[in-house]
Amino acid sequence: MTVELSPFAIMNRLKTQCIGREIAYYPSLPSTMDTAREKARQGVVEGTVVLAGEQTSGRGRLKRNWLSPKGNIALSIILRPGIAELPYLIMIASLAVANSVESVTGQKTQIKWPNDILIGGKKVCGILIENEIKGNNVNFSIIGIGINTNLNTAEHDEIANTAASLKSPEEADSRLKLVIALLTEFENLYFKLPEGKQIYQAWRDKLVTLGKKVKATWGKQIIEGVAENVDESGALTIRGENGAVTKVVAGDVTLKENPKP
Ligand code: BTN
């Protein structure tokens, strides 16, 4: 049986100043991204979290579906950053997940560019960031985080070979600990802005992608080569077999060799 995450238990134990001070919990939602957007437009305080027991139309990057049945973690954090801080949000979110999963479960994580969290080479968490920008002002950013917990990946053909899930006998308690650790770590990193150098370095160090043969796709373009570097804006540089270098700003990367766990 799946025990629901309690927003009161989270808020009682959370010692943050901003992230998660307000939590809007819904047992079932189409997507926390849409509800978070409505709330952001209504003017809720920065750091408000929308948390769902399950999502019925969870979405991922590049218009993919995201599975989040009961027992998973699906949440969106509403931020009001400056425009110069936007590139760091991907880095903050992926580091916050990677560090909190490691501290709560003891399992080693890696980040696949730009922001997939892997355990043993398989994806355990996905992150989706949506911004509303007017001119040079960011009205808000929504950071959507989905962590596979208690998900039997073998039951879902589309992710059976590529996804992993965290499991625990005391699943409600460990999910609670994980959400608290995640929101705390997120705030610690977010409060380091606008200085993002340290965040960039830490994110870069945890990327499994660098030095690997990759296939990158964005729009209708595909390029294969070696992932050479990432810059502070988050863009990935790939050197093709002919020596040509391409910068990929947003896209999807498949590793042509398995990362070492
Ligand atoms: C990806 O890897 O493609 C990103 C997946 C993001 C999933 C999360 S779950 C919470 C939030 N609500 C959604 O509908 N999507 C994000």
Side-chain angles (χ1 to χ4, degrees), residues 47-105:
T48 298
V49 170
V50 176
L51 177 69
E54 68 170 353
Q55 297 186 117
T56 52
S57 305
R59 60 173 184 269
R61 293 174 64 238
L62 310 170
K63 300 197 174 135
R64 295 190 186 121
N65 294 329
W66 182 261
L67 275 173
S68 29
K70 283 193 169 53
N72 267 232
I73 294 175
L75 59 85
S76 292
I77 305 172
I78 298 167
L79 300 179
R80 302 190 187 278
I83 196 129
E85 296 172 346
L86 286 185
Y88 297 106
L89 299 182
I90 277 182
M91 305 173 196
I92 289 176
S94 35
L95 278 174
V97 174
N99 294 345
S100 57
V101 167
E102 286 194 359
S103 68
V104 172
T105 69

Side-chain angles (χ1 to χ4, degrees), residues 7 12 14 20 23 30 58 79 101 114 141 147 154 171-172 183 216 225 244-245 260:
N12 281 341
L14 200 60
I23 297 181
L79 300 179
V101 167
S141 292
I147 306 180
E171 63 90 0
L183 299 179
V245 169
K260 293 184 183 61

Side-chain angles (χ1 to χ4, degrees), residues 30-34 50 52 55 57-68 73-76 115-117 123 125-130 142-147 252:
S31 163
T32 57
M33 300 304 281
D34 299 333
V50 176
Q55 297 186 117
S57 305
R59 60 173 184 269
R61 293 174 64 238
L62 310 170
K63 300 197 174 135
R64 295 190 186 121
N65 294 329
W66 182 261
L67 275 173
S68 29
I73 294 175
L75 59 85
S76 292
N115 54 9
D116 287 347
I117 311 303
K123 177 163 169 173
C125 166
I127 296 165
L128 177 66
I129 300 188
E130 295 177 351
I142 314 264
I143 319 297
I145 299 176
I147 306 180
D252 203 27

Side-chain angles (χ1 to χ4, degrees), residues 70-73 124 147-151 165-167 175 178:
K70 283 193 169 53
N72 267 232
I73 294 175
V124 81
I147 306 180
N148 295 334
T149 46
N150 310 296
L151 181 71
S165 174
L166 303 174
K167 288 186 194 69
R175 270 194 310 152
L178 185 52

